[in-house]
Amino acid sequence: MRLAWHGGTLSPMSRSPETAVDDPFVPKSIRVCSADGAAAELGLIVPASARYGVFWLPALGVSAHHYQKFAMELAEAGIASARHEWRGTGSSAIRASRSCDWGYRELLELDMPASIAAAQAACPGVRWVIAGHSLGGQLACLFAALNPGTVDGVAFVASGIPYWRTFGGTSGYLLRMVPLLIPAAMALWGYYPGKRLGFAGNEARRLMSDWARTVRHGQYANHAHGLDSESALATFTSPLLGVRLTGDRLGPEASFDGLLDKMRKATIERVVLSAADFPSGTANHFSWMKEPAPVVAAMVRWLQAIETSKS
């Protein structure tokens, strides 16, 4: 199904006879349990004729249910979606504390593989790409690079490498200071108290330490499978979509380009959306979630290109 952008709505341009009637789809969730016992809900929306699906990773501290509108608009375009819930957030059965800790390794080695396997089992015949927002975009890139062949491509929206040098002026200076302050907060509370500090949610110590390492050095550690993360990113060759919002102060152009540059051998498509592309006239880190149609349109065009290349 081809889609065109018309004044803030997605309009079907043509449908094959077998999809002449709108696909039925009903949102549902399934409980997914990781190998170490951590469990959370996986939100699924699957149109009857969906050939492709987007396995979606939220931003740091953001529950998966906040992407319901995005998932519904994907479904209206004939695209399935599976919304992963981060450990410690939303429907997750555990919470970060002094006695409950985890990092990127658990997310990449335990939680994401369990959720992707559940999505594949629930949706036979659907081919999956992995995509995410902010930190979710970074971890989508890492997972795809560390697990070649598992998904057909990777995409990110309002994301980039959080290296302090890619943020200009005062923002870069403040970001450089954050890794120095995080350990003190975690020592006091036993976890990162993001809800008190106004950045992210209440997060695990090792998770924030992994994030802070990239802020300081602009590099990803060997977080999973004992593999070299930077080498895996550099040798990734599958399709890659990056969507940047021009008003995104948390994902400036240099940060966005920095993440794409790590995957320089990929087949890269860059999409830049400005305030003029959204009915509200706003294009920032979180605003697109309330009016996701321009992002969905970019995702649909990219998936169509992937499908064409495989036919």
Side-chain angles (χ1 to χ4, degrees):
M1 178 167 58
R2 295 167 59 235
L3 295 170
W5 179 240
H6 292 306
T9 61
L10 283 171
S11 304
M13 291 179 62
S14 64
R15 291 177 182 263
S16 59
E18 63 269 22
T19 59
V21 177
D22 285 347
D23 288 345
F25 54 86
V26 177
K28 63 178 182 179
S29 65
I30 55 178
R31 195 72 171 168
V32 177
C33 187
S34 299
D36 66 349
E41 298 293 322
L42 178 70
L44 290 169
I45 303 181
V46 185
S49 66
R51 298 184 298 274
Y52 267 90
V54 175
F55 183 84
W56 184 256
L57 302 175
L60 179 65
V62 178
S63 179
H65 74 84
H66 290 294
Y67 298 93
Q68 176 83 359
K69 188 171 185 179
F70 172 62
M72 290 295 289
E73 294 205 18
L74 282 172
E76 290 169 5
I79 307 299
S81 64
R83 285 165 292 126
H84 179 72
E85 187 83 275
W86 289 131
R87 183 177 291 225
T89 303
S91 65
S92 172
I94 62 175
R95 290 292 184 267
S97 68
R98 196 173 297 277
S99 61
C100 188
D101 193 24
W102 62 85
Y104 285 11
R105 185 188 68 79
E106 285 81 0
L107 305 185
L108 289 163
E109 284 193 343
L110 302 179
D111 298 352
M112 290 161 62
S115 282
I116 288 177
Q120 291 170 334
C123 309
V126 173
R127 301 186 66 91
W128 292 92
V129 297
I130 189 168
H133 175 205
S134 197
L135 177 67
Q138 297 176 63
L139 291 176
C141 290
L142 281 168
F143 182 87
L146 292 166
N147 299 275
T150 303
V151 292
D152 281 13
V154 60
F156 60 80
V157 180
S159 186
I161 187 164
Y163 184 34
W164 70 272
R165 291 186 184 276
T166 63
F167 288 72
T170 303
S171 295
Y173 175 78
L174 292 174
L175 188 58
R176 188 182 185 185
M177 296 298 104
V178 168
L180 304 177
L181 301 175
I182 285 177
M186 294 192 301
L188 179 61
W189 277 279
Y191 61 92
Y192 171 77
K195 292 183 178 179
R196 290 175 180 264
L197 300 180
F199 174 71
N202 293 338
E203 311 292 348
R205 297 188 303 279
R206 283 195 290 111
L207 177 72
M208 293 307 293
S209 295
D210 289 340
W211 176 81
R213 182 188 189 279
T214 308
V215 172
R216 290 194 304 269
H217 305 296
Q219 301 285 315
Y220 294 100
N222 300 337
H223 297 295
H225 311 303
L227 299 176
D228 185 329
S229 294
E230 291 290 325
S231 293
L233 291 168
T235 56
F236 181 79
T237 58
S238 295
L240 168 61
L241 169 68
V243 180
R244 185 172 71 85
L245 291 307
T246 56
D248 185 4
R249 294 189 300 173
L250 298 178
E253 185 174 5
S255 171
F256 174 83
D257 288 342
L259 184 53
L260 290 177
D261 288 346
K262 285 184 177 292
M263 307 178 79
R264 52 192 172 274
K265 290 188 178 180
T267 304
I268 297 175
E269 180 175 348
R270 291 174 167 85
V271 173
V272 179
L273 298 174
S274 69
D277 293 306
F278 295 88
S280 67
T282 304
N284 64 39
H285 198 69
F286 294 109
S287 64
W288 71 271
M289 295 165 63
K290 296 180 180 179
E291 40 188 4
V295 173
V296 170
M299 192 78 69
V300 170
R301 288 193 299 269
W302 178 64
L303 289 171
Q304 288 173 338
I306 292 176
E307 186 174 38
T308 299
S309 71
K310 291 183 177 296
S311 62

